[in-house]
Amino acid sequence: GAGVSQSPRYKVTKRGQDVALRCDPISGHVSLYWYRQALGQGPEFLTYFNYEAQQDKSGLPNDRFSAERPEGSISTLTIQRTEQRDSAMYRCASSATGNEQFFGPGTRLTVL
Amino acid sequence: GDSVTQMEGPVTLSEEAFLTINCTYTATGYPSLFWYVQYPGEGLQLLLKATKADDKGSNKGFEATYRKETTSFHLEKGSVQVSDSAVYFCALDQTGANNLFFGTGTRLTVIP
């Protein structure tokens, strides 16, 4: 079947605007993860879900960041009042039971 | 806390050369270890993994052995090809943590 998809692939926004990034995991995958990757760095964990339950949000940098997965499938990562330091690649991954994560292509966010 | 230290790049090799990319880790307990690869314009893909000490992961001619005594998981390939040009990320999954810690990535360029 299809892999993990993310939309939009590119997002340019002005400082202070809210953005919503979408992740569509592999069908049937229980777990969904969000990571942020700065240029020249490895991905950094933000949060993850099992089904619709957010299990760990310890990586969210501050309360402007939130995520949801209301029906246990598609997830949305929302950043409120964006700042220039939020510019990065945001990556989503999903996994079945077990520890192999499959990554989407990412959303490149640029905050002007 | 958990961390992954990865050999800095960029690395440039001629086709058919031997490749080693070093990776060492710090973790409590017994993590699983991974190498992910990111080809130009694509998302992260799992290259290989090892879940316990002395395990060897292998795929596409690449190998890495989980060395608990040296806390290392070095990536090797005997003869690289131009198509191996990519960024390689070492990562660990601490048991029960349900998220991946990544190294900073090593960019490999193979020239004909």
Side-chain angles (χ1 to χ4, degrees):
Chain A
V4 178
S5 61
Q6 292 185 244
S7 61
R9 294 291 308 276
Y10 303 91
K11 177 69 177 178
V12 180
T13 191
K14 292 183 179 179
R15 188 178 54 187
Q17 297 295 305
D18 298 350
V19 296
L21 312 180
R22 172 182 165 131
C23 173
D24 201 341
I26 293 172
S27 178
H29 275 194
V30 169
S31 301
L32 184 148
Y33 308 80
W34 283 100
Y35 293 84
R36 178 169 69 172
Q37 185 176 9
L39 201 60
Q41 300 295 314
E44 180 183 26
F45 170 78
L46 296 177
T47 185
Y48 95 96
F49 295 82
N50 279 343
Y51 300 102
E52 72 281 0
Q54 191 171 21
Q55 300 289 338
D56 183 350
K57 55 182 182 179
S58 62
L60 296 176
N62 52 61
D63 61 7
R64 295 186 298 105
F65 287 72
S66 62
E68 62 176 8
R69 193 186 185 199
E71 297 179 1
S73 179
I74 293 168
S75 176
T76 303
L77 176 70
T78 301
I79 309 173
Q80 295 179 310
R81 305 180 303 281
T82 52
E83 301 177 5
Q84 286 185 328
R85 59 178 173 157
D86 299 334
S87 296
M89 177 73 83
Y90 288 83
R91 297 195 183 275
C92 174
S94 69
S95 69
T97 54
N99 58 8
E100 182 170 344
Q101 296 184 24
F102 295 83
F103 282 80
T107 294
R108 169 77 65 190
L109 174 66
T110 302
V111 182
L112 301 176
Chain B
D2 297 346
S3 67
V4 174
T5 301
Q6 193 172 336
M7 171 179 159
E8 289 189 16
V11 174
T12 302
L13 295 174
S14 297
E15 207 165 21
E16 300 183 1
F18 184 86
L19 169 71
T20 300
I21 301 177
N22 290 338
C23 173
T24 57
Y25 68 90
T26 302
T28 55
Y30 305 97
S32 296
L33 300 173
F34 305 82
W35 279 99
Y36 278 81
V37 59
Q38 184 176 6
Y39 297 104
E42 299 184 16
L44 288 162
Q45 301 174 25
L46 179 65
L47 180 60
L48 55 83
K49 68 177 183 181
T51 58
K52 62 183 188 297
D54 300 324
D55 268 2
K56 177 184 285 188
S58 61
N59 187 26
K60 300 181 180 179
F62 290 89
E63 293 184 339
T65 301
Y66 188 158
R67 301 285 189 202
K68 186 170 181 295
E69 63 277 12
T70 54
T71 62
S72 66
F73 193 55
H74 304 322
L75 182 68
E76 296 181 336
K77 186 174 185 181
S79 177
V80 293
Q81 305 300 312
V82 172
S83 58
D84 294 327
S85 298
V87 182
Y88 293 82
F89 293 92
C90 185
L92 71 81
D93 176 2
Q94 183 60 271
T95 303
N98 285 296
N99 65 74
L100 293 170
F101 286 88
F102 285 87
T104 54
T106 302
R107 181 176 297 278
L108 170 67
T109 301
V110 180
I111 54 177

